[in-house]
């Protein structure tokens, strides 16, 4: 069986070459995807840092003991109040009670929560602060 005028040896060499070329192209594609994922992760880390720095601290409206909560306590509180969507964002940024007590909605949105999630988180936090007063 022959294809065109190519000899069987040429056809096999061509198929091997094409497979090798496809493998190189696939490896490059995988490498490109990994690079883009790494760049996205670096951007998210930078956004977290900027959001934390931009946070407006309002000491007089914060919960007295919330400021002393560690990252795990914040995580548990988020779970208990059906705010698990924010749990990963807080844990990734190693955000403690001091941050939770003073964070504003805009900062939570910058961290990656949507506006509804940010509003719900701030509302639950403010409810706890109000109950403590």
């Amino acid at each position: 069986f022959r294809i065109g005028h190519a000899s069987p040896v040429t056809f096999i060499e061509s198929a091997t070459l094409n497979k090798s070329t496809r493998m190189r192209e696939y490896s490059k594609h995988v490498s490109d995807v990994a690079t883009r994922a790494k760049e996205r992760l670096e951007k998210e880390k930078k956004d977290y840092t900027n959001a934390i720095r931009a946070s407006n601290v309002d000491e007089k409206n914060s919960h007295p003991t919330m400021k002393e909560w560690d990252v795990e306590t914040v995580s548990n509180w988020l779970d208990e109040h059906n705010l698990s969507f924010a749990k990963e964002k807080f844990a990734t940024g190693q955000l403690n009670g001091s941050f939770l007590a003073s964070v504003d909605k805009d900062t939570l949105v910058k961290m990656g929560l949507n506006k509804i999630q940010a509003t719900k988180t701030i509302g639950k936090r403010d409810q706890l602060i109000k109950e403590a007063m």
Side-chain angles (χ1 to χ4, degrees):
F1 180 79
R2 295 181 71 176
I3 298 178
H5 296 292
S7 69
V9 173
T10 306
F11 177 73
I12 292 169
E13 289 172 352
S14 175
T16 303
L17 179 63
N18 288 337
K19 183 178 179 181
S20 176
T21 301
R22 286 193 312 268
M23 290 300 290
R24 273 195 306 275
E25 288 174 358
Y26 180 73
S27 293
K28 182 174 178 353
H29 170 72
V30 169
S31 176
D32 290 346
V33 169
T35 299
R36 286 193 302 273
K38 183 178 177 184
E39 289 169 353
R40 262 194 320 273
L41 181 61
E42 290 299 320
K43 183 185 180 311
E44 285 182 15
K45 285 172 68 176
K46 184 177 179 182
D47 289 347
Y48 274 127
T49 303
N50 290 339
I52 291 167
R53 288 182 184 147
S55 175
N56 296 327
V57 177
D58 186 359
E59 292 294 328
K60 62 185 175 221
N61 291 327
S62 63
H63 187 274
T65 59
M66 183 185 293
K67 291 186 283 184
E68 299 168 7
W69 292 357
D70 60 10
V71 175
E72 185 177 344
T73 305
V74 170
S75 179
N76 291 338
W77 181 82
L78 291 168
D79 274 339
E80 290 168 10
H81 291 86
N82 298 317
L83 302 170
S84 56
F85 51 80
K87 184 177 175 179
E88 182 181 334
K89 302 292 183 186
F90 274 75
T92 301
Q94 292 293 303
L95 304 175
N96 59 19
S98 180
F99 180 81
L100 176 60
S102 61
V103 69
D104 62 11
K105 182 174 135 183
D106 292 334
T107 302
L108 292 177
V109 170
K110 289 176 187 174
M111 288 172 51
L113 272 62
N114 66 41
K115 289 181 180 181
I116 293 170
Q117 293 171 332
T119 301
K120 185 176 180 181
T121 303
I122 295 298
K124 294 281 187 174
R125 188 265 328 260
D126 289 350
Q127 181 181 356
L128 180 64
I129 291 171
K130 187 176 181 180
E131 291 170 0
M133 293 181 157

